[in-house]
Amino acid sequence: MNFLLFRKTLACSVIGFISLSSWTTHAAEYSGPLFDAHLHYNTEAWNGQTGPYPVPDVLARMQRSGVKAIVSNSRPNDGTIALAQARAETAAASVTVVPFVRLYRNRSDYDTWFRDPTIYDMVLAELARGTPVGPYRGIGEFHLYDSANANGAVAKKLMVLAEEKQLVVLAHVDDAAIDLLMAHTASKGQKLRLIWAHTGIGGAPLKRVEALMAKYPGLMGELSYRPGLTCDRGVLCPEWRELILKYPGRFLIGSDTWINQRWQTYEDIMRSYRIWLGDLPPAVAKNVAWDNGVALFGIRP
């Protein structure tokens, strides 16, 4: 089994997917706009518009879900360009596309990008090219299955580039790699804006998450697949609710459509967020669901 597939399949099995029909209403669901801060439009989904989830289909899913903005990062980057090119369709669906340069041309790049100089060259070329909706706003998502690879030559150069160009980083890494990546920047992580995919899919202890939030003012936690996030009836576990209330401006939600099954269940995924967002004070719920993403990228609603 592909290592990435195994890791995420394992995470799914641990967390479980709670059927929406089994939820008992705990509080009114959050009903406002959603910012999907972790979305992939990979080749399996669209394949040059002939795949099972063409642009009109995925935009319809977003629209039905109340998703008004997305961070799009795709393997290869052609998927993000396809969404960015569909300007009439995205306008009709009221969806803003925030494009990121992904570091993967193919699946083999997952395991070698951090030391492959051609990846750095590809990123520079993509940044120079831009997209139909304007410049790329970030780089990633990338993966580090061994935190020591954060010290790879290309990983170091990309962190320096991101801070210099004010690009947001989307990183699927463990907590140790967060410190290593931040250390490569001139500010030692005080100016770099980094979205921590899944806020640690391996389940970093909440005290460690809190310590990293305190240490790095530009660190944002994206909450898809996060172990231990929700408890009975799909509401936030008390310790997570406490942490989000302490850092209401530092968390984001995302669909992580890394496989086509995630597109199939996209509306259920986004509604699951509405369930636990409804258990937060309204202003905090809107921060996590929408305002934090808007502020991060300077979007005009």
Side-chain angles (χ1 to χ4, degrees), residues 12-83:
C12 282
S13 66
V14 171
I15 300 169
F17 187 84
I18 303 171
S19 169
L20 292 177
S21 63
S22 69
W23 267 314
T24 301
T25 302
H26 180 77
E29 293 181 15
Y30 169 79
S31 60
L34 299 177
F35 194 122
D36 186 345
H38 186 164
L39 181 141
H40 305 294
Y41 196 41
N42 292 334
T43 186
E44 296 88 356
W46 76 291
N47 191 25
Q49 302 288 4
T50 63
Y53 299 98
V55 169
D57 179 273
V58 298
L59 288 175
R61 292 171 191 270
M62 296 175 205
Q63 189 172 31
R64 291 193 296 268
S65 301
V67 171
K68 300 296 185 182
I70 60 172
V71 166
S72 178
N73 68 108
S74 309
R75 171 186 42 79
N77 289 299
D78 293 348
T80 292
I81 296 298
L83 289 172

XYZ file of all heavy atoms in Angstrom, residues 12-83:
548
model
N -7.941 7.589 9.544
C -9.397 7.510 9.414
C -9.959 6.433 10.320
O -10.994 6.608 10.959
C -9.788 7.212 7.966
S -9.685 8.646 6.889
N -9.265 5.280 10.352
C -9.778 4.173 11.139
C -9.735 4.484 12.622
O -10.573 4.038 13.394
C -8.978 2.894 10.848
O -7.649 3.022 11.301
N -8.738 5.271 13.037
C -8.629 5.629 14.438
C -9.722 6.620 14.829
O -10.381 6.499 15.858
C -7.236 6.228 14.740
C -7.184 6.809 16.143
C -6.174 5.151 14.567
N -9.882 7.631 13.974
C -10.845 8.672 14.289
C -12.272 8.168 14.077
O -13.177 8.433 14.860
C -10.589 9.925 13.410
C -9.181 10.461 13.653
C -11.605 11.000 13.706
C -8.760 11.503 12.668
N -12.453 7.418 13.018
C -13.787 6.942 12.660
C -14.551 8.030 11.935
O -14.261 9.214 12.063
N -15.514 7.608 11.168
C -16.377 8.574 10.496
C -17.781 8.383 11.024
O -18.384 7.342 10.835
C -16.368 8.378 8.972
C -17.107 9.471 8.243
C -16.467 10.650 7.941
C -18.438 9.314 7.905
C -17.139 11.661 7.298
C -19.108 10.323 7.269
C -18.464 11.503 6.957
N -18.263 9.363 11.746
C -19.560 9.258 12.396
C -20.649 9.597 11.390
O -20.630 10.658 10.785
C -19.634 10.230 13.593
C -18.508 9.939 14.564
C -20.988 10.137 14.286
C -18.378 10.979 15.662
N -21.597 8.703 11.202
C -22.710 8.948 10.294
C -23.499 10.149 10.764
O -23.819 10.299 11.935
C -23.637 7.733 10.244
O -24.824 8.056 9.567
N -23.810 11.032 9.829
C -24.550 12.224 10.191
C -25.903 11.882 10.793
O -26.414 12.589 11.655
C -24.736 13.115 8.947
C -23.462 13.744 8.398
C -23.777 14.534 7.149
C -22.791 14.621 9.427
N -26.488 10.789 10.352
C -27.804 10.418 10.853
C -27.778 10.014 12.316
O -28.807 9.968 12.981
C -28.370 9.267 10.016
O -27.554 8.128 10.154
N -26.570 9.703 12.849
C -26.459 9.263 14.233
C -26.259 10.403 15.208
O -26.269 10.220 16.416
C -25.292 8.271 14.378
O -24.061 8.939 14.209
N -26.016 11.632 14.678
C -25.785 12.762 15.562
C -27.077 13.209 16.243
O -28.132 13.307 15.615
C -25.214 13.951 14.778
C -23.725 14.008 14.779
C -22.878 13.856 15.835
C -22.891 14.249 13.637
N -21.583 13.981 15.439
C -21.556 14.229 14.099
C -23.138 14.502 12.301
C -20.483 14.424 13.264
C -22.068 14.696 11.473
C -20.762 14.655 11.953
N -26.999 13.467 17.500
C -28.105 14.094 18.204
C -27.782 15.575 18.311
O -26.667 15.964 18.642
C -28.249 13.490 19.611
O -28.476 12.093 19.474
C -29.396 14.139 20.362
N -28.741 16.416 18.028
C -28.497 17.849 18.041
C -28.046 18.296 19.415
O -28.722 18.058 20.419
C -29.764 18.616 17.635
O -30.152 18.179 16.337
C -29.512 20.108 17.621
N -26.884 18.913 19.463
C -26.341 19.413 20.730
C -26.560 20.910 20.830
O -26.889 21.432 21.882
C -24.851 19.084 20.821
C -24.214 19.552 22.094
N -24.364 18.900 23.289
C -23.426 20.632 22.350
C -23.696 19.540 24.243
N -23.122 20.593 23.694
N -26.376 21.601 19.737
C -26.607 23.039 19.652
C -26.917 23.333 18.198
O -26.720 22.485 17.327
C -25.365 23.802 20.117
N -27.408 24.527 17.951
C -27.693 24.895 16.568
C -26.411 24.856 15.760
O -25.369 25.355 16.196
C -28.308 26.284 16.529
N -26.460 24.249 14.595
C -25.283 24.186 13.742
C -24.868 25.589 13.290
O -25.713 26.458 13.078
C -25.558 23.321 12.508
C -25.780 21.866 12.803
C -26.028 21.058 11.533
O -25.743 21.575 10.439
O -26.493 19.914 11.649
N -23.576 25.760 13.147
C -23.068 26.985 12.530
C -23.613 27.081 11.111
O -23.555 26.109 10.350
C -21.541 26.971 12.528
C -20.916 28.060 11.682
C -20.828 29.356 12.164
C -20.440 27.787 10.403
C -20.253 30.363 11.390
C -19.872 28.789 9.626
C -19.782 30.071 10.131
O -19.227 31.064 9.352
N -24.143 28.233 10.740
C -24.805 28.369 9.443
C -24.141 29.371 8.519
O -24.652 29.656 7.433
C -26.268 28.776 9.655
O -26.348 30.019 10.351
N -22.995 29.899 8.920
C -22.333 30.917 8.122
C -21.423 30.346 7.051
O -21.398 29.135 6.799
N -20.626 31.207 6.408
C -19.725 30.766 5.331
C -18.570 29.937 5.857
O -18.158 30.072 7.015
C -19.234 32.086 4.731
C -19.293 33.054 5.878
C -20.521 32.656 6.664
N -18.033 29.066 4.988
C -16.890 28.225 5.319
C -15.716 28.541 4.408
O -15.896 28.784 3.204
C -17.251 26.743 5.187
C -18.372 26.200 6.069
C -18.633 24.730 5.755
C -18.062 26.388 7.543
N -14.534 28.521 4.985
C -13.278 28.664 4.236
C -12.580 27.312 4.299
O -12.127 26.900 5.366
C -12.417 29.751 4.865
C -11.269 30.225 4.016
C -11.147 31.559 3.659
C -10.294 29.336 3.558
C -10.092 32.011 2.885
C -9.238 29.767 2.781
C -9.140 31.110 2.441
N -12.505 26.627 3.172
C -11.839 25.330 3.100
C -10.351 25.571 2.872
O -9.914 25.834 1.748
C -12.445 24.501 1.959
C -11.901 23.073 1.901
O -10.867 22.808 2.536
O -12.506 22.241 1.205
N -9.582 25.480 3.944
C -8.167 25.865 3.904
C -7.228 24.720 3.573
O -6.008 24.863 3.709
C -7.772 26.487 5.243
N -7.783 23.596 3.104
C -6.932 22.449 2.759
C -7.674 21.601 1.731
O -8.299 20.602 2.056
C -6.628 21.644 4.015
C -5.653 20.533 3.820
N -5.012 19.900 4.865
C -5.194 19.904 2.704
C -4.221 18.949 4.405
N -4.325 18.926 3.078
N -7.563 22.000 0.480
C -8.277 21.323 -0.599
C -7.307 20.945 -1.704
O -6.465 21.749 -2.104
C -9.387 22.221 -1.145
C -10.244 21.652 -2.277
C -11.711 22.065 -2.101
C -9.755 22.096 -3.660
N -7.428 19.702 -2.182
C -6.651 19.220 -3.317
C -7.580 18.943 -4.498
O -8.666 18.391 -4.321
C -5.921 17.910 -2.979
C -5.060 17.982 -1.766
N -3.937 18.769 -1.688
C -5.152 17.350 -0.561
C -3.377 18.616 -0.495
N -4.104 17.760 0.208
N -7.114 19.326 -5.681
C -7.822 18.943 -6.910
C -6.834 18.154 -7.749
O -6.279 18.627 -8.740
C -8.335 20.183 -7.639
C -9.384 19.891 -8.684
C -10.393 18.952 -8.466
C -9.385 20.568 -9.899
C -11.354 18.692 -9.421
C -10.352 20.325 -10.856
C -11.328 19.383 -10.617
O -12.287 19.122 -11.565
N -6.602 16.926 -7.296
C -5.567 16.083 -7.875
C -6.011 15.462 -9.193
O -7.197 15.434 -9.528
C -5.167 14.982 -6.891
C -4.452 15.523 -5.665
O -3.828 16.585 -5.716
N -4.538 14.807 -4.556
N -5.042 14.916 -9.898
C -5.321 14.392 -11.232
C -6.365 13.285 -11.215
O -7.126 13.144 -12.167
C -4.016 13.902 -11.896
O -4.278 13.517 -13.241
C -3.409 12.729 -11.131
N -6.447 12.504 -10.139
C -7.452 11.446 -10.081
C -8.869 12.002 -10.103
O -9.802 11.326 -10.528
C -7.266 10.599 -8.812
C -5.964 9.838 -8.752
C -4.837 10.633 -8.132
O -5.044 11.835 -7.816
O -3.738 10.075 -7.959
N -9.032 13.213 -9.624
C -10.364 13.805 -9.533
C -10.839 14.377 -10.853
O -12.028 14.296 -11.183
C -10.380 14.892 -8.461
N -9.913 14.964 -11.605
C -10.390 15.675 -12.800
C -9.743 15.201 -14.088
O -10.394 15.137 -15.127
C -10.187 17.176 -12.623
C -8.769 17.631 -12.782
C -7.727 17.371 -11.957
C -8.250 18.429 -13.841
N -6.574 17.948 -12.424
C -6.874 18.617 -13.582
C -8.797 19.016 -14.971
C -6.050 19.359 -14.417
C -7.974 19.771 -15.808
C -6.618 19.941 -15.523
N -8.461 14.855 -14.068
C -7.785 14.257 -15.225
C -8.072 15.022 -16.519
O -8.544 14.470 -17.515
C -8.206 12.783 -15.372
C -7.337 12.039 -16.374
O -6.193 12.422 -16.607
N -7.880 10.996 -16.966
N -7.786 16.303 -16.482
C -8.001 17.114 -17.676
C -9.465 17.260 -18.057
O -9.814 17.300 -19.235
N -10.327 17.346 -17.058
C -11.775 17.537 -17.192
C -12.531 16.260 -17.523
O -13.760 16.284 -17.649
C -12.115 18.618 -18.253
C -11.515 19.989 -17.991
C -12.179 20.724 -16.829
O -13.043 20.185 -16.164
N -11.756 21.948 -16.593
N -11.867 15.137 -17.684
C -12.576 13.894 -18.017
C -12.705 12.956 -16.821
O -13.235 11.863 -16.953
C -11.848 13.143 -19.152
O -10.537 12.754 -18.697
C -11.720 14.012 -20.384
N -12.220 13.378 -15.662
C -12.284 12.534 -14.481
C -13.668 12.528 -13.853
O -14.602 13.184 -14.341
N -13.826 11.818 -12.745
C -15.148 11.681 -12.126
C -15.666 12.944 -11.453
O -16.861 13.046 -11.178
C -14.936 10.565 -11.089
C -13.465 10.607 -10.777
C -12.806 11.005 -12.066
N -14.784 13.910 -11.181
C -15.205 15.129 -10.486
C -14.727 16.365 -11.268
O -13.791 17.047 -10.856
C -14.676 15.136 -9.056
C -15.201 13.974 -8.247
C -14.436 12.820 -8.060
C -16.487 14.005 -7.726
C -14.933 11.738 -7.340
C -16.995 12.925 -7.013
C -16.218 11.796 -6.821
O -16.726 10.724 -6.127
N -15.365 16.675 -12.386
C -14.972 17.849 -13.163
C -15.271 19.143 -12.408
O -15.961 19.142 -11.374
C -15.827 17.733 -14.425
C -17.006 16.913 -14.024
C -16.497 15.956 -12.986
N -14.760 20.233 -12.927
C -14.875 21.521 -12.241
C -16.317 21.861 -11.862
O -16.584 22.243 -10.706
C -14.231 22.643 -13.083
C -14.587 24.015 -12.513
C -12.713 22.476 -13.131
N -17.298 21.752 -12.764
C -18.670 22.104 -12.357
C -19.177 21.260 -11.186
O -19.914 21.767 -10.324
C -19.493 21.852 -13.626
C -18.513 21.991 -14.747
C -17.238 21.431 -14.201
N -18.778 20.001 -11.147
C -19.229 19.124 -10.069
C -18.648 19.552 -8.724
O -19.381 19.664 -7.726
C -18.824 17.683 -10.379
C -19.234 16.712 -9.283
O -18.456 16.529 -8.325
O -20.335 16.149 -9.383
N -17.345 19.799 -8.664
C -16.750 20.142 -7.369
C -17.219 21.510 -6.896
O -17.429 21.722 -5.691
C -15.201 20.050 -7.404
C -14.758 18.622 -7.716
C -14.583 21.026 -8.375
N -17.424 22.432 -7.823
C -17.935 23.740 -7.425
C -19.359 23.632 -6.888
O -19.727 24.327 -5.932
C -17.877 24.718 -8.589
C -16.478 25.192 -8.987
C -16.545 26.060 -10.237
C -15.811 25.964 -7.845
N -20.148 22.745 -7.471
C -21.503 22.535 -6.965
C -21.476 21.969 -5.554
O -22.301 22.336 -4.699
C -22.276 21.607 -7.899
N -20.538 21.072 -5.284
C -20.404 20.520 -3.937
C -20.018 21.608 -2.941
O -20.526 21.649 -1.806
C -19.382 19.382 -3.925
C -19.850 18.147 -4.691
C -18.741 17.110 -4.865
N -19.169 16.092 -5.811
C -19.819 14.974 -5.483
N -20.075 14.714 -4.217
N -20.181 14.109 -6.413
N -19.091 22.476 -3.337
C -18.720 23.584 -2.470
C -19.913 24.492 -2.211
O -20.175 24.912 -1.071
C -17.574 24.376 -3.105
C -16.283 23.619 -3.259
S -15.055 24.626 -4.161
C -14.014 23.348 -4.860
N -20.639 24.814 -3.270
C -21.770 25.724 -3.140
C -22.839 25.149 -2.207
O -23.363 25.855 -1.337
C -22.364 26.016 -4.515
C -23.401 27.128 -4.517
C -23.814 27.510 -5.927
O -23.819 26.687 -6.840
N -24.162 28.778 -6.116
N -23.151 23.876 -2.374
C -24.152 23.248 -1.505
C -23.693 23.194 -0.050
O -24.510 23.146 0.863
C -24.471 21.833 -1.999
C -25.232 21.796 -3.318
C -25.798 20.417 -3.587
N -24.778 19.386 -3.754
C -24.245 19.026 -4.914
N -24.623 19.638 -6.050
N -23.339 18.058 -4.973
N -22.366 23.201 0.147
C -21.796 23.130 1.493
C -21.615 24.496 2.141
O -21.213 24.580 3.305
C -20.444 22.408 1.452
O -20.587 21.103 0.939
N -21.870 25.558 1.394
C -21.651 26.893 1.927
C -20.196 27.292 1.988
O -19.814 28.179 2.755
N -19.362 26.636 1.173
C -17.940 26.971 1.107
C -17.767 28.152 0.148
O -18.127 28.067 -1.025
C -17.112 25.764 0.641
C -15.668 26.175 0.353
C -17.149 24.663 1.692
N -17.191 29.219 0.662
C -17.069 30.452 -0.117
C -15.630 30.757 -0.534
O -15.405 31.667 -1.338
C -17.608 31.632 0.695
C -19.071 31.502 1.088
C -19.989 31.480 -0.133
C -21.456 31.469 0.267
N -22.350 31.398 -0.921
N -14.668 30.034 -0.001
C -13.267 30.231 -0.383
C -12.509 28.941 -0.121
O -12.864 28.169 0.772
C -12.630 31.389 0.383
N -11.464 28.714 -0.922
C -10.673 27.490 -0.800
C -9.194 27.814 -0.968
O -8.817 28.693 -1.736
C -11.068 26.433 -1.855
C -10.865 26.984 -3.281
C -12.504 25.968 -1.649
C -11.034 25.951 -4.388
N -8.349 27.092 -0.231
C -6.925 27.011 -0.554
C -6.767 25.795 -1.447
O -6.991 24.664 -1.021
C -6.061 26.864 0.707
C -4.641 26.436 0.332
C -6.025 28.170 1.489
N -6.416 26.038 -2.696
C -6.286 24.953 -3.669
C -4.823 24.618 -3.877
O -4.020 25.475 -4.254
C -6.918 25.355 -5.007
O -6.754 24.324 -5.960
N -4.481 23.336 -3.613
C -3.131 22.848 -3.906
C -3.282 21.437 -4.448
O -3.988 20.618 -3.871
C -2.238 22.921 -2.673
C -2.618 21.963 -1.573
O -1.924 20.981 -1.318
N -3.745 22.217 -0.889
N -2.642 21.172 -5.569
C -2.995 19.982 -6.341
C -1.756 19.288 -6.885
O -0.701 19.893 -7.058
C -3.906 20.384 -7.507
O -5.000 21.169 -7.052
N -1.927 17.987 -7.154
C -0.880 17.188 -7.781
C -1.352 16.709 -9.151
O -2.255 15.902 -9.231
C -0.535 15.984 -6.886
C 0.396 14.962 -7.569
C 0.611 13.731 -6.732
N -0.578 13.239 -6.084
C -1.522 12.517 -6.701
N -1.436 12.241 -7.980
N -2.574 12.098 -6.021
N -0.771 17.237 -10.237
C 0.175 18.354 -10.304
C -0.567 19.687 -10.167
O -1.786 19.704 -9.963
C 0.790 18.206 -11.684
C -0.320 17.618 -12.506
C -1.046 16.678 -11.578
N 0.148 20.791 -10.333
C -0.454 22.109 -10.148
C -1.503 22.438 -11.200
O -2.254 23.406 -11.040
C 0.634 23.178 -10.118
C 1.452 23.110 -8.840
O 0.932 23.273 -7.744
N 2.746 22.843 -8.972
N -1.590 21.631 -12.253
C -2.605 21.855 -13.288
C -4.010 21.850 -12.709
O -4.904 22.534 -13.223
C -2.502 20.776 -14.367
C -1.213 20.855 -15.160
O -0.498 21.873 -15.030
O -0.913 19.903 -15.912
N -4.248 21.073 -11.656
C -5.577 21.036 -11.055
C -5.971 22.380 -10.468
O -7.108 22.839 -10.625
N -5.033 23.017 -9.798
C -5.301 24.343 -9.247
C -5.494 25.362 -10.364
O -6.370 26.234 -10.279
C -4.152 24.756 -8.312
O -4.187 23.916 -7.156
C -4.255 26.203 -7.902
N -4.694 25.254 -11.424
C -4.862 26.158 -12.562
C -6.249 25.983 -13.183
O -6.900 26.959 -13.575
C -3.760 25.921 -13.608
C -2.379 26.262 -13.034
C -4.024 26.721 -14.878
C -2.219 27.707 -12.622
N -6.735 24.744 -13.251
C -8.066 24.497 -13.818
C -9.146 25.205 -13.007
O -10.080 25.805 -13.573
C -8.343 22.996 -13.868
N -9.042 25.154 -11.693
C -10.013 25.866 -10.862
C -9.867 27.377 -11.028
O -10.864 28.106 -11.092
C -9.828 25.478 -9.398
C -10.252 24.058 -9.004
C -9.826 23.769 -7.566
C -11.758 23.877 -9.154
